[in-house]
Every structure is written in C-alpha cells, then in structure tokens.
Amino acid sequence: MSKTRTIIPNGFSIRRIELSDFEDVKIVLAGLTTVGPITLFTYETILNYWNSVKLMNKPTEYAYNTSVIIDDHTHTVAAIGTIFIEQKIIHDGGLVGHIEDIAVNSDYRGQKLGKLIIDYLSEQGEKLGCYKVILDCDVKNVGFYEKCNYNQAGIEMQTRF
Ligand code: COA
C-alpha cells in the first residue's frame, strides 16, 4: 500500500542531480557532514558512474538516484537526498531502497522540504519495486523520520576505517 504521494509546493521543483549543482551541493551537504576538497572532475566522475548503473530488470532505471529540490526563484539547491536501489538474492531477487545523505540548506529548514525529499525518494523506491526502504539516522533525527512515516526497526552497527 502506498504511504507517500509527493506534492511539490509552489516555487520549488525536484529533479535528478546535475553537473551544474556542484557548488550548491557542497554547501548543502556540508550541513550534514564533512564534504572534503572534492574537485569538479571527481564530482563529474561520480555523476557519470551513478548514471551508468541501471537496475537489472529495469535497464532504463537508475540504481543511484540523487535528487535535489530547487528554489525556482534563486535556482539554488534547497535540499538533497539519495535512494540507492540494492538488488538482493533473498525475497525472490527483491529490491531494497537505501536512503542516504539527506540534507536541507540551513536557510530552508522548517519548511517541510526535508519531509518532501523523504516522501519523494520513498515514492521512487516504491515505484521501482522495492519491498522496503531503510535508512540510518542520528538519534536526534528520529522524530523527523517518524513524521515521514518511518519507524524504528533494529539497531545500526558499524566498524570504521
Ligand atoms: N526532530 C524531531 N522532529 C523534527 C526534526 C528533528 N530533528 N526536524 C524536523 N522535525 C519535524 C518538523 O518539526 C516537522 O514537524 P511537523 O510536520 O509536525 O511540523 C517535520 O519534522 C518535517 O520537518 P521539515 O520541515 O521537513 O524538516 P527540515 O526541512 O528542516 O529538514 C533535516 C530536517 C533533519 C533534514 C534538516 O534539519 C537537516 O538538513 N539537518 C542537517 C542534516 C541532517 O541531520 N540530515 C539528516 C541525516 S540522518
């Protein structure tokens, strides 16, 4: 059953990430974590890689889907988020969506754009055939994801290098 029906507010649009978003993307993601001194060349190489990986059974659809919400007046990136579609063996060769790297530009927080990008990515996961969409988050953001119809399931484990 579908839980999400994305409604894009007036003055904003959503689209796949583009080369021209480079400077804005660095600023928005810096609100999430360390971006580092990434070059335009590396950014372009990553976008080209993302554009080259397609779903096994849907060769026109991307496995890496990074979307940006654009402020149509300023043409700047107000928010960003990714859903990566994982091809599994279990669940009859099922698909799982992984939401990653959600960030809203600090000037645009509190306007429901965070919820909008989560709704949009979740809807993409559903349309692409995922049987579930999962994500990791900081404890301080649990309430935000609950507002986006996600519930706690399990505990994240990690080893860092
Ligand atoms: N804890 C609890 N509730 C929160 C919350 C938080 N940290 N952040 C937002 N909410 C609530 C809002 O009050 C709103 O509730 P309402 O519908 O009852 O009014 C709802 O969640 C939707 O909020 P929204 O306006 O869409 O949030 P946002 O656009 O400000 O984006 C973040 C939220 C977390 C994405 C944004 O603050 C951000 O980019 N933070 C820095 C990067 C980050 O932490 N990313 C998430 C990584 S896991």
Side-chain angles (χ1 to χ4, degrees):
M1 189 182 70
S2 174
K3 288 181 182 169
T4 53
R5 285 287 168 261
T6 311
I7 298 168
I8 300 165
N10 285 339
F12 292 95
S13 50
I14 302 187
R15 60 162 170 74
R16 190 173 175 81
I17 191 172
E18 293 176 357
L19 192 59
S20 61
D21 298 322
F22 178 57
E23 295 298 335
D24 284 355
V25 160
K26 285 190 293 181
I27 292 168
V28 180
L29 286 177
L32 170 67
T33 190
T34 306
V35 178
I38 187 169
T39 63
L40 179 60
F41 176 77
T42 300
Y43 173 82
E44 182 173 19
T45 305
I46 292 166
L47 263 52
N48 288 340
Y49 170 67
W50 283 350
N51 289 337
S52 73
V53 186
K54 301 292 175 61
L55 298 189
M56 183 179 75
N57 291 328
K58 293 180 181 161
T60 60
E61 301 287 358
Y62 299 106
Y64 287 91
N65 298 278
T66 297
S67 297
V68 288
I69 299 176
I70 301 294
D71 179 332
D72 293 334
H73 300 296
T74 60
H75 306 287
T76 54
V77 174
I80 188 167
T82 296
I83 183 167
F84 170 68
I85 312 296
E86 175 197 7
Q87 174 66 60
K88 300 186 86 74
I89 291 175
I90 61 170
H91 293 290
D92 196 22
L95 300 177
V96 170
H98 298 264
I99 286 186
E100 294 284 345
D101 299 348
I102 299 298
V104 177
N105 180 311
S106 54
D107 293 341
Y108 291 86
R109 289 181 196 162
Q111 299 182 46
K112 305 279 197 283
L113 296 182
K115 184 174 187 311
L116 175 62
I117 195 92
I118 294 294
D119 286 350
Y120 181 75
L121 296 173
S122 305
E123 198 163 283
Q124 278 190 304
E126 184 182 23
K127 283 180 183 162
L128 291 171
C130 295
Y131 66 87
K132 69 176 178 180
V133 174
I134 58 179
L135 59 86
D136 298 323
C137 77
D138 197 286
V139 170
K140 72 180 191 306
N141 288 326
V142 167
F144 165 69
Y145 287 108
E146 286 176 340
K147 292 273 169 76
C148 300
N149 295 317
Y150 281 71
N151 55 276
Q152 290 188 57
I155 297 171
E156 178 190 329
M157 308 287 287
Q158 64 170 232
T159 184
R160 297 193 78 108
F161 304 105

